[in-house]
Amino acid sequence: MNQFYYDAVTKMEQMGVDDEYVQGWQCGFLQNPKREEQRLTEAYEAGYADGEGKTTDNFGNWVKS
């Protein structure tokens, strides 16, 4: 694992990002297969897409209130 991954996950946890988004981001970043269809959520899919793209730009959109 690289430092970028650890820093990103730590930042998401500190910001209080939605768990579904975090899990999706991690799976996308690691190129794991997506969850089965009935367990997909909007947050998970957004996280997966951002993880695949190795972007941290959208974390703030998924902070839990």
Side-chain angles (χ1 to χ4, degrees), residues 4 8 11-12 15 17 21 25 46-47 49-51 53-63:
F4 176 78
K11 182 178 178 182
M12 284 188 277
M15 290 174 65
V17 173
Y21 179 91
W25 192 93
D50 288 345
K54 313 275 191 276
T55 183
T56 59
D57 296 341
N58 299 313
F59 290 176
N61 298 337
W62 295 97
V63 174

Side-chain angles (χ1 to χ4, degrees), residues 3 26 28 42-43 45 53 55 57:
Q3 194 63 45
Q26 290 171 321
E42 182 183 358
E45 292 196 89
T55 183
D57 296 341

Side-chain angles (χ1 to χ4, degrees), residues 9-61:
V9 172
T10 300
K11 182 178 178 182
M12 284 188 277
E13 289 172 349
Q14 290 171 343
M15 290 174 65
V17 173
D18 186 292
D19 291 340
E20 288 285 301
Y21 179 91
V22 175
Q23 290 174 20
W25 192 93
Q26 290 171 321
C27 288
F29 186 93
L30 299 172
Q31 299 178 328
N32 291 341
K34 279 189 180 178
R35 292 176 174 168
E36 55 276 8
E37 191 172 336
Q38 66 270 24
R39 292 184 56 223
L40 293 177
T41 64
E42 182 183 358
Y44 178 90
E45 292 196 89
Y48 193 94
D50 288 345
E52 274 188 314
K54 313 275 191 276
T55 183
T56 59
D57 296 341
N58 299 313
F59 290 176
N61 298 337

